[in-house]
Amino acid sequence: MKKPRNVIGFAILVIILLGTLWGGIVESNAPQPLSAANMTEKQRSDNDKNVLMKYLKEYDVEKIDVDYKYDSITLHIKAKSSDQYVSDKAAKIKRDARDILEERRAELTLEKDSHKYMIIVIGKDGHVIK
């Protein structure tokens, strides 16, 4: 009678070990947030610019400035502020940039929630596009 009890105990132990191993594998594949602890402000800024630029390519963004002191992100686009429908384009860029801040948080070094950052779009003539 002892053999079935040992087999059941051994089976439970194997299931627990496999579950623990599987949980560790799944957890290790999850994206880990990038730590800004050992980075200079320039390194942080370069990283965040590269991530944003990678996902905003389609909008002809020429340059991105990230200012951690004032919690702002400035996007410089190739269109002039006087171009037709540029304000609609700027609104879409802002929405998509905010989505990137939300969805790609693990790749960014931003310390605050995405809605706390002011996103500014500037045309190639230097004027802010509302």
Side-chain angles (χ1 to χ4, degrees), residues 48-103:
D48 294 343
K49 287 178 193 178
N50 290 336
V51 171
L52 287 167
M53 190 65 88
K54 180 169 71 172
Y55 295 106
L56 292 174
K57 275 186 209 172
E58 66 188 77
Y59 295 111
D60 294 330
V61 176
E62 291 183 309
K63 182 174 129 183
I64 298 174
D65 297 321
V66 181
D67 187 347
Y68 300 103
K69 183 177 180 183
Y70 297 107
D71 299 331
S72 67
I73 298 169
T74 306
L75 308 170
H76 299 267
I77 61 173
K78 293 180 182 177
K80 291 182 182 176
S81 62
S82 60
D83 287 351
Q84 189 173 14
Y85 305 117
V86 74
S87 61
D88 294 339
K89 182 178 181 179
K92 183 160 178 36
I93 292 171
K94 285 181 186 179
R95 263 194 321 271
D96 287 353
R98 190 143 332 264
D99 289 345
I100 292 166
L101 296 181
E102 226 17 76
E103 295 168 6

Side-chain angles (χ1 to χ4, degrees), residues 7-56:
V7 171
I8 293 172
F10 182 72
I12 291 173
L13 182 64
V14 168
I15 291 171
I16 290 172
L17 288 174
L18 287 175
T20 304
L21 179 64
W22 179 255
I25 291 171
V26 171
E27 191 173 296
S28 67
N29 289 338
Q32 300 296 319
L34 187 62
S35 173
N38 296 325
M39 298 173 81
T40 65
E41 191 167 314
K42 173 138 179 50
Q43 290 171 326
R44 289 179 61 205
S45 177
D46 288 344
N47 176 70
D48 294 343
K49 287 178 193 178
N50 290 336
V51 171
L52 287 167
M53 190 65 88
K54 180 169 71 172
Y55 295 106
L56 292 174

